[in-house]
Structure formats: structure tokens, C-alpha cells
Amino acid sequence: MFKRGGCDLPGEALCFCIVSLLILIEAPQLVVGDQNDMSGWHLSQKVEANKEISLHSASVPGRPFGRLQEILQSIKLDVEQIIVAASSTDVVFERLAYVADTFGPRFSGTSGLELAIDHIKAEMQRDGLSVTEEPVMVPRWVRGAEQARLVSPRNKTLAMVGLGDSIGTGGKPIVAPVLVVSSFADLALRRNEAAGRIVVFNTPFVSYGETVDYRSGGAAAAAAAGGVAALVRSVTSFSLQTPHAGTTDKASVPAAAITVEDAELLARMQRRGQEPVVELYMEAQTLPDVQSRNLIVEIRGSERPDEVVMFGGHIDSWDITDGAIDDGGGAMITWELSPPAASLSTNSLLSLLRVKASSTCGDVIRLLHSLGLQPRRTVRGVLFVNEENGARGGQQYARDHASEMNRTSIAIETDAGTFTPYGLEFTGTSEARAILEEIGRAFLSEMGLRHVTDSGGGTDVYYTCALGVPCASLSVLDPRESDGPNNPCRDVRPQGVGRPTFGTSAYFWYHHSAADTPDKMSPQQLQQCAASLATWVYAIASLDEILPRGEATVRPQ
Ligand SMILES: [Zn+2]
């Protein structure tokens, strides 16, 4: 997961701490190019396409969004049914826990990922859903055996994880004194001390978007200064001796993450003049790409099946974690939503009925009625692969569906945790935002989930949004975020921030670590997220037109 524009998002290799980019509107002849090259598309095409879209969907008073209130009123009962249904079962948590517990890490190129995808696909089919696979070639980085030890002034095993895309240590350990630095600037000042040393970046967490630069660029910076390896303090706001994985940019020296505690230990030793020496051994290597797949599950629209509301999360995880929060939750609510509460499986339905047994018959009847819900345009859930170390799933989706981009109303990603929903983060035109605010006001006000804020997006939908599709992400708040004394992150929160920020969320306590397991998650919060996202998706799919678009911005890398 990654980092958004303010910049406070979760992100991976392609982190989203991004500057403005014109949102491009898809043209029929568009061929999506390489991940970092959207230039296959010429300016004149953009201009013409923008004109066309703007004529098609601009929100002129009285048309077509003049009917907005009428439409929202017409789906009020449907939405109530969705919220009741999605809120009344713990099926999402049970599915998530089963996948995490049974298949373990779902790293690209591993059998764990493929078995998990097979399982989810089979369960979706048992639910009677329309599910298809779309092939994706994914990178295959293999960690191999690895270890780090402090060998002087005392012996101590350092908890570590090699960073994705790192090279190994060449079949033998690297034994070298360390140089601890606090920043790239600090390394520049001490450049003449770096030669032959393992450079340790002991950089405190500020925000994911800012601090992750050391994980990405630490190895190359160490190599440029003459260092023989890089050890990077884990990018987390809180630590219990847990190393956190992630990718590094390609570099000529190996790189690994160590814990906050051990980075501080080495820094203290250096300050005292104890000259710590570390032994680092890594067998990491990059093998040829292998084939995996995105899973696409959808309900065709009743009136405009060619127009799409897309939403998703990623099914893959790092290799050292069961990936419950990142992003099992996002993937599972995608599954849950794919039938927006409409086609719960028999088991799910029975579970729901049991939960609702003490409720009124009317509730159950409305729920049963909701099984027949079919939105006006197609709603499509995507379980992306390879978000963590390549974003190939998001890239491939944009390539495969390039011809649909001018008919895709919005792309919504859930990859910031499935804590208490707060609303939607959105990147698009002010007209589109106003419509979303009306939807939130109509259906989610009472629950406090209606807020539309800036900086929507995420790794998986980035490539779709870069082609002109309005971009959003499910906004969540972690109740562990607070100014209370029990919040270990409160001291790193930027001054003057009104509400807790994503950067200080407990999301990053567990992110990319072995501690990201289902016990950290709340079944109730998962259901709230499902209810909230289902509401947004269903309402957007029920509008007269796709969301207006025009010159908007996403944050490319
Ligand atoms: Zn993620």
C-alpha cells in the first residue's frame, strides 16, 4: 500500500506521493503503454476526448444531474437494504480469516497466492457470481535464507527482512562496521566515513510517504557513498521489535530493513564510540516473471451494462505476512460488495437470517428483496495481484480495459485498512465531488460516513485513473488514533492537523510485517466498510450519467 498526495497514503513501488498530472480521457485508439509511460497518447487526442466527454457528461443545471435528488430518493429503500444486509453478518471477517490462516502469505509468484486465488474464485462461483480471470505476468523475487547479526561490541541477532528487489550478498556474509545516519543529508555530511561500511538509515517515522524514501533509496545512496550494504529502520510509527518489508529501488548493494529498536541501538553505540560491526547475509535473487491473474467479479447493469463502476483491493501480500489488513480486508469487502448485498451466498444468507432472527419480518423481507437488486450500470469488483512489489495487476487492468475508460464512472480502491469508515477520498472534478457529497448526505450522514475529502486513489487504480477515470479510495479512521496517552503515535502527528491522519494510523504498526494478522481486525468495522462502500458503489451506478470528468488531477509518481 502507499502514499497519497498530501502525502499520507500507503504505497508501494510506485508510491503516490505524486504531483499533479492531467487526467487523460480514454480514446478508442489508445493503447496503454508501459507502466510509467502514458505518453502513448497524444495531446490532440486528449483535447478531443476531453471535449467529447465534457459535452457528454457535463453537469448542466436541469440535466443530466438535475434529477440527482429524484434518483437518490428512488434508491433509498435499496440502500437501506444494502446497509442492513452488509451490517448484519460477519461473513467478511470469516472469509478473510480463512484465507489468511489457510494460505498464509500471498506473495507474487508463490503457490500461496495462487491457491488463495483458486479458493476465492471457487467460492465466488459457489455463490453464483460471474467471475473471470485476467492473466497478469508478475515479478518473482525470492528472499532465500537471510540473517543479520551484531558481532561487535556484542553478539546479537538483529531481526531483519531483506527488501524486495534487493540483491543478495554474493553467497557469503558481508562483515563490516556500520555508519549510522539520520537522513540523506546526514549521509552527505559524513560521506567520507561511508566507504566499506554498512550504512544504517535510522530515520524516524514522519509519514509513510516521506519516510518510505529511505527504504526505496537507501541502498542506492549507500552505494553511491561507497557503502557495502544498507540497513533501513523499518517504516513504521510503532514497533515491538518487528521488521517491516517493502521494496527497494534497484541498487548495486544489498538492502534490508531492521527494527526501530535495533536501529536505535546501533545509533546509541555509535554515539558512544563503540564502533558496532554487523554481519549481513542474504540469498535474495530475482527470477523470471511468472503468470498470475486478477479476478474480476461483476454484476451487469440493467440499463447501461457497458458503463462501469469499478472498485477493488489487492489479494497479494508480502512474503513474511498473512496480509490481513494489507490488503485482505480490501479484497474481501470487494468480494462482499461485488454482489452489493444482493447475492449473498446461501451460507451468508443463513448467517444473516440468524443474526436478524430477533428483528422484524419486514427487515428480512427487505433483505430478501435486496437479493434481486441490479444497478443501472455494471458494478465490477477487481481483486488485483502484485500491488506490493510491482503493481502489475493495476497496470494490466488498465491495458485490458483501455477501451472502457471513457465509460468507467469511477475507480475506488480500498487499501488503507478496513477500520471505521469515514467517507471517500476523491480526486476528480468539483462537479463530480458535489454529486458524491449529495450521495453521502442522502445515505450516510446519520452514520457519520459521508465525508468526501481530497486525494483519492491508490496503487491499483492509479493506471486506470491516469487514463481519465475519476479516482477514489475508501476513507477510514482507526479508533486507536487519538490524543490519548495510549496512542504511541500521537507525538508524530503533524501539528495543526484537525483529525487523525492516515500516517499515524495503526495501519502502519502492522503494515508489511508478520504482525498483520486477522486478530488485529474488527468484524464489525469490516462490515461497516462493506456497508459504506456498497452504498457509494450502488448509488454511483444508479445515476443517470457517469460522473462528470474533465481536467482533473491524479498524482502520478
Ligand atoms: Zn496494500
Side-chain angles (χ1 to χ4, degrees), residues 1 314 326-327 387-388 415 507:
M1 112 113 19
H314 66 89
D326 183 16
D327 182 29
E387 190 271 354
E388 295 292 11
D415 190 16
Y507 184 92

Side-chain angles (χ1 to χ4, degrees), residues 515-530:
D516 181 5
T517 46
D519 52 283
K520 311 302 188 307
M521 305 184 73
S522 155
Q524 185 185 19
Q525 289 175 356
L526 272 166
Q527 296 303 148
Q528 290 170 345
C529 285

Side-chain angles (χ1 to χ4, degrees), residues 229 312 364:
V364 175

Side-chain angles (χ1 to χ4, degrees), residues 5-35:
C7 282
D8 234 353
L9 232 205
E12 245 341 298
L14 302 162
C15 174
F16 278 171
C17 197
I18 310 169
V19 277
S20 318
L21 171 88
L22 264 184
I23 272 198
L24 312 178
I25 309 296
E26 196 280 327
Q29 61 271 53
L30 169 63
V31 175
V32 179
D34 183 70
Q35 56 165 315

